[in-house]
Amino acid sequence: MPERSEPVYDPLEPGEGEAIAPTGQGGPMDLALDEAESLERPSGDAPTGAGPQERARSLWSDAWHQLRRNPVFVISSLMILFLVVIAIWPQLIASGDPLQCDLSKSQQGSAPGHPFGYDTQGCDVYTRTVHGARASITVGVCATLGAALLGSVLGGLAGFFGGWGDALLSRAADIFFGIPVVLGGLVFLSVVTSTTVWPVVGFIVLLGWPQIARIGRGSVITAKHNDYVQAARALGAGNGRMLLRHVAPNAVAPVIVVATIALGTYIALEATLSFLGVGLRPPTVSWGIDISNAAPQIRNAPHMLLYPAGALSLTVLAFIMLGDAVRDALDPKLR
């Protein structure tokens, strides 16, 4: 029997409703189909069934998207915002003078207008607790900024360039890691006579930068071996451009996490040094000073110790909670 010839399919035959059937293999027929659909679709129209185009999301946008839905971040942020506001404007909630005292009211308990009672010198504990936030927040923020800036710059340069500078930084950091913090504070601050916060800030920066430098160094070493950095180098980008445009933005996240958690630690360190008598000193109002004055009277007047110690604990807790939330958001492995 003679073989029947297969009908020839003409994609341009009048009356046909479609062009070339897709094969799903990405061959010429699929390309022809794409071209035909692009010719038929009006300019600016989206494909059928496609939603609105989404912008490319970066690490920071993803982190902010997660942080806004994290109750730990929201609660800690509100606590820190409140602490910062009363540190800048303590008169909003405490109109009295923290240095105005009346010995006739020494160690008295709660009274109308004085809910926290009085300390040994007859000063209002509530007013001193509110005003004490300024010194602690100032020391914590300034020390964190100084340590983060110094540590990230030194660690980033050492990790990026390597060589003898990297080895020298590592050995210097090991020396500072070997100094006990409290003992170093007793030795360093005992010879300082200033009553301002800056000697304490300088000491914390001096002992705090090695930790951030080591974190920053490791992050830069990891980032500089990524493909996009090697591609930039192959295209002729200089060291400064690669470090500032490609390496630093992708290595700063661990530094931010460590610095946020360290801020609460620095506030606690300032209170410890003030409690020992070598940190902040009168007439500066500090939670550490108030705790030190209240410690001998804890049995007779526990309210003197309870309120400044509680304020200190809540402040440190707020910053540690904030650091944990930022760490969870910036670490892709924890998502």
Side-chain angles (χ1 to χ4, degrees), residues 110-141:
S110 177
H114 306 276
F116 293 176
Y118 300 87
D119 62 7
T120 305
Q121 301 297 325
C123 303
D124 184 23
V125 176
Y126 172 77
T127 303
R128 291 186 62 87
T129 301
V130 173
H131 283 260
R134 172 175 294 180
S136 297
I137 296 296
T138 301
V139 170
V141 172

Side-chain angles (χ1 to χ4, degrees), residues 104-196:
S104 62
K105 300 178 180 179
S106 177
Q107 299 185 14
Q108 291 185 8
S110 177
H114 306 276
F116 293 176
Y118 300 87
D119 62 7
T120 305
Q121 301 297 325
C123 303
D124 184 23
V125 176
Y126 172 77
T127 303
R128 291 186 62 87
T129 301
V130 173
H131 283 260
R134 172 175 294 180
S136 297
I137 296 296
T138 301
V139 170
V141 172
C142 293
T144 301
L145 292 177
L149 181 61
L150 180 61
S152 58
V153 170
L154 294 179
L157 293 176
F160 185 80
F161 293 102
W164 63 268
D166 186 17
L168 181 62
L169 177 74
S170 299
R171 301 294 76 80
D174 291 339
I175 294 175
F176 282 97
F177 276 125
I179 301 177
V181 178
V182 177
L183 180 59
L186 290 173
V187 174
F188 179 82
L189 295 175
S190 60
V191 298
V192 178
T193 58
S194 175
T195 58
T196 63

Side-chain angles (χ1 to χ4, degrees), residues 219-265:
S219 299
V220 168
I221 291 176
T222 302
K224 76 175 184 178
H225 290 103
N226 290 332
D227 293 339
Y228 56 86
V229 179
Q230 301 302 322
R233 187 187 300 273
L235 292 174
N239 290 330
R241 181 180 179 84
M242 287 190 297
L243 183 60
L244 296 177
R245 293 290 301 275
H246 303 288
V247 176
N250 295 281
V252 72
V255 175
I256 294 177
V257 173
V258 174
T260 305
I261 298 177
L263 200 157
T265 305

Side-chain angles (χ1 to χ4, degrees), residues 3-85:
E3 297 182 357
R4 293 188 304 173
S5 59
E6 296 291 338
V8 178
Y9 178 78
D10 186 0
L12 300 179
E13 182 179 355
E16 295 292 339
E18 57 184 9
I20 303 174
T23 63
Q25 303 299 323
M29 296 180 66
D30 290 339
L31 294 177
L33 176 62
D34 294 337
E35 293 175 358
E37 290 178 347
S38 63
L39 291 175
E40 295 175 357
R41 187 183 309 123
S43 176
D45 290 351
T48 304
Q53 295 291 333
E54 295 184 359
R55 293 188 304 174
R57 297 174 64 178
S58 63
L59 172 65
W60 302 102
S61 61
D62 287 343
W64 176 242
H65 181 77
Q66 181 176 348
L67 285 174
R68 288 182 302 174
R69 290 160 176 77
N70 190 346
V72 175
F73 173 78
V74 175
I75 294 174
S76 61
S77 299
L78 292 177
M79 293 173 60
I80 293 172
L81 179 61
F82 173 75
L83 291 169
V84 171
V85 169

